[in-house]
Amino acid sequence: MIMNYVKQTVTDVSVKGKRVLLRCDFNVPLDKSTNRITDDNRIIASLPTIRYLLEQGARVIICSHLGRPKGKIVPEMSLLPCAQRLSALLDKYIPLVNDITGEYALKMSESLKNGGVMMLENLRFYPEEEQNDPEFAKKLAALADIYVSDAFGAAHRAHASTAGVAQYLPAYAGLLIDKELSAIGDAINNPKRPFVAILGGSKISDKLGVIRNLLNKADKIIIGGGMAYTFIKARGGSIGNSICDEEKLQYCKEVLDLSLEKGVEILLPEDSRIAAEINAPEFTVAPSGKIPDGLAGFDIGPTAEGMICRIVADAKTIIWNGPMGAFEFAPFSGGTQAVTHCVADSGAITIVGGGDSAAAVRKFGLEHKMTHVSTGGGATLEFMEGRVLPGIACLLDK
Ligand code: ADP
Ligand code: MG
């Protein structure tokens, strides 16, 4: 079943004077000692929807989760830093309401003026959130007249605030979700060809489903990063101590066979930058299938870089998920940096997904040259895998 990803958005409904429950993804990283936000990209990404709603005269009730408090009040996981950061960005006081299912929250929501905004405390302080408890969803719904979701990063979860609440309120996509759906959805389902997918990173088991789905869509699939070594071993190569998911060797073999059947090339890096340890100061280059025992591949090699950049230069659509190496370590950042540059310069429609991939693109200063850098991690992968996302499926179809 293909999920319909063409959804009604905030622009398809009159929001003036309406109370809007806006689910955002403010799950930002916080500094452990100071509790300050270390990266506010997710807050920035939701600004267009928030500003749009306020300009239209809506009364906005923002909710989000942060971290994994597991149904208990954990003060370090309060959304207060997010409320404060958003206040500063909007130049507007934003009250944070603690007891989100209580009388006070309801009164606050009813007393909001047009263009007013309030925020609810961390949804996951309540166990009912992750349980998708209908009573809890109903209480959230009671605060508002319509529901808008902009929490793409949480859209693969069927929780009370991401899916349950849509049972009780008309549900629309925010501008961020709309952008995510059209950018990723169209790239995968209606690509300009050649369509090239580049997959890397270290979460092999999470990404095998994506490769399988893309075998039906892409013209070429390039595999690099830590993912590549399980495939290289499955083909009979020696990978030394490189990361490998032993349980997936058979599956990788099947995927390689399937690619031959479908005539979709899967390209593996011919060479690798290898060393004894990930924090080694230097590397040597070796064929990826002939890595000596005691050493491991931590990045694709220069020949692989050249091959990838040639393929990318001819592509019209590129989906990229997962860095080409351990780019956080300077000696092993070369492959990811080279691929970031050639993807940015390709002139193709370029979609980057995955938390670390997005961080890499930002690190190399090329975010603005990509068509779309997704804010989702698991949600982006599941969408690319062709799965139904509960937080999207619950929104009204266009
Ligand atoms: P994303 O978040 O973009 O989906 P992943 O989380 O799957 O990507 O993988 C990113 C991580 O993979 C990075 O921390 C990177 O250091 C690591 N990585 C990439 N290549 C290798 C490798 N060859 N060996 C070990 N770790 C690697
Ligand atoms: Mg990651």
Side-chain angles (χ1 to χ4, degrees):
M1 183 179 113
I2 295 177
M3 179 180 70
N4 181 3
Y5 61 90
V6 186
K7 294 293 178 177
Q8 293 192 40
T9 77
V10 273
T11 63
D12 292 316
V13 56
S14 159
V15 296
K16 185 166 184 192
K18 289 203 181 122
R19 291 175 306 158
V20 177
L21 182 69
L22 175 63
R23 175 56 157 103
C24 290
D25 178 8
F26 284 171
N27 185 29
V28 294
L30 297 173
D31 184 288
K32 283 208 173 59
S33 52
T34 64
N35 224 31
R36 287 178 72 114
I37 298 170
T38 54
D39 176 349
D40 67 357
N41 276 297
R42 285 183 162 156
I43 298 178
I44 304 282
S46 59
L47 283 176
T49 301
I50 298 172
R51 288 209 167 106
Y52 174 83
L53 288 170
L54 298 179
E55 278 159 16
Q56 297 291 313
R59 309 164 180 211
V60 183
I61 300 136
I62 297 176
C63 61
S64 175
H65 76 284
L66 175 66
R68 297 193 168 160
K70 306 218 170 99
K72 294 202 176 65
I73 296 173
V74 179
E76 305 81 66
M77 294 182 191
S78 166
L79 276 171
L80 187 62
C82 297
Q84 290 170 335
R85 179 64 57 93
L86 187 63
S87 274
L89 288 163
L90 295 174
D91 195 17
K92 207 180 188 82
Y93 171 65
I94 299 174
L96 181 70
V97 176
N98 286 316
D99 181 13
I100 69 184
T101 55
E103 272 298 298
Y104 181 67
L106 196 59
K107 283 218 177 86
M108 282 281 288
S109 75
E110 281 163 354
S111 65
L112 278 175
K113 300 204 166 58
N114 290 8
V117 52
M118 62 187 260
M119 197 185 284
L120 305 179
E121 184 54 285
N122 194 342
L123 292 157
R124 288 195 189 165
F125 285 177
Y126 299 75
E128 297 92 334
E129 160 67 357
E130 291 184 81
Q131 290 159 359
N132 195 4
D133 179 85
E135 288 307 313
F136 183 72
K138 223 186 247 179
K139 284 180 188 159
L140 289 175
L143 300 174
D145 305 306
I146 70 168
Y147 168 71
V148 173
S149 179
D150 229 6
F152 185 68
H156 56 317
R157 309 283 185 212
H159 293 168
S161 71
T162 58
V165 68
Q167 299 281 322
Y168 307 103
L169 291 175
Y172 301 87
L175 301 175
L176 173 63
I177 283 208
D178 184 49
K179 188 163 161 252
E180 294 273 6
L181 292 178
S182 58
I184 304 171
D186 290 350
I188 289 184
N189 297 301
N190 194 14
K192 289 192 181 160
R193 297 187 182 274
F195 171 20
V196 175
I198 309 172
L199 291 154
S202 54
K203 289 189 202 150
I204 302 163
S205 52
D206 287 2
K207 299 185 181 183
L208 284 171
V210 178
I211 299 179
R212 238 196 127 98
N213 188 36
L214 290 176
L215 274 177
N216 299 316
K217 317 263 184 191
D219 298 300
K220 284 192 166 86
I221 299 176
I222 296 165
I223 297 176
M227 292 242 318
Y229 300 102
T230 307
F231 282 91
I232 289 165
K233 184 164 180 185
R235 257 193 356 195
S238 308
I239 59 168
N241 287 352
S242 308
I243 59 167
C244 178
D245 190 335
E246 297 287 339
E247 281 170 23
K248 299 292 184 203
L249 285 170
Q250 185 55 34
Y251 191 90
C252 289
K253 263 185 217 150
E254 285 164 25
V255 167
L256 290 168
D257 289 344
L258 199 61
S259 78
L260 293 177
E261 233 170 77
K262 297 197 180 274
V264 175
E265 247 182 300
I266 291 188
L267 297 133
L268 297 169
E270 206 176 302
D271 57 350
S272 292
R273 291 174 165 98
I274 66 170
E277 280 174 291
I278 202 164
N279 53 8
E282 278 168 25
F283 60 82
T284 53
V285 173
S288 300
K290 288 184 184 161
I291 299 177
D293 287 347
L295 299 178
F298 293 116
D299 196 7
I300 57 171
T303 309
E305 274 172 33
M307 178 269 291
I308 296 173
C309 289
R310 275 193 300 281
I311 291 171
V312 159
D314 290 334
K316 290 278 189 299
T317 303
I318 301 165
I319 278 190
W320 178 18
N321 180 289
M324 295 293 98
F327 73 98
E328 302 93 333
F329 300 85
F332 305 111
S333 65
T336 305
Q337 184 164 17
V339 171
T340 307
H341 276 272
C342 60
V343 169
D345 291 338
S346 64
I349 292 164
T350 50
I351 311 287
V352 181
D356 293 287
S357 315
V361 167
R362 274 183 216 116
K363 174 175 172 173
F364 301 125
L366 291 170
E367 189 182 12
H368 63 285
K369 290 192 77 178
M370 305 296 178
T371 310
H372 182 65
V373 179
S374 179
T375 54
T380 309
L381 286 175
E382 290 195 20
F383 189 31
M384 289 183 175
E385 214 177 313
R387 287 167 56 171
V388 172
L389 309 185
I392 304 301
C394 71
L395 306 176
L396 291 166
D397 289 338
K398 193 96 158 181

